[in-house]
Amino acid sequence: MAAVTSALIAIAGVVLGWIAIELACKPCLEKGREAIDRSLDPDYDPDDDEIRVPINPPDHDLQEQLNPRPDHDSSVAAVSSATPIKAV
């Protein structure tokens, strides 16, 4: 009787562990399963997929700060209009 009880406890532990992993990793597992399903589908054509847009599109203001254009940069105009410094 002790062997049966131990076996049932072990099986219950494995089942609960499996359920915990499924719940914890659900998004990753779903993406992987979808990829496997697509790769095994003979009627799947990758050219029919929609074009995906990035979740976080790049911030154009940040891009302009990092790579300023000379025609829009006010600091260049301020430096060029200043009087030159004479070396001694």
Side-chain angles (χ1 to χ4, degrees), residues 38 61 63 65:
R38 279 195 313 263
D61 295 334
Q63 292 294 332
Q65 289 174 1

Side-chain angles (χ1 to χ4, degrees), residues 8-74:
L8 288 176
I9 291 173
I11 291 171
V14 169
V15 169
L16 289 175
W18 183 267
I19 291 171
I21 290 173
E22 287 284 332
L23 290 175
C25 302
K26 187 175 183 174
C28 181
L29 291 173
E30 284 179 352
K31 288 179 184 177
R33 289 177 181 144
E34 288 173 5
I36 291 171
D37 289 343
R38 279 195 313 263
S39 68
L40 296 176
D41 183 14
D43 296 328
Y44 172 69
D45 184 10
D47 294 331
D48 293 339
D49 282 346
E50 295 179 17
I51 298 175
R52 296 183 181 180
V53 261
I55 294 173
N56 297 323
D59 187 8
H60 295 292
D61 295 334
L62 178 63
Q63 292 294 332
E64 191 162 324
Q65 289 174 1
L66 295 175
N67 301 318
R69 291 181 283 174
D71 57 322
H72 289 99
D73 192 13
S74 61

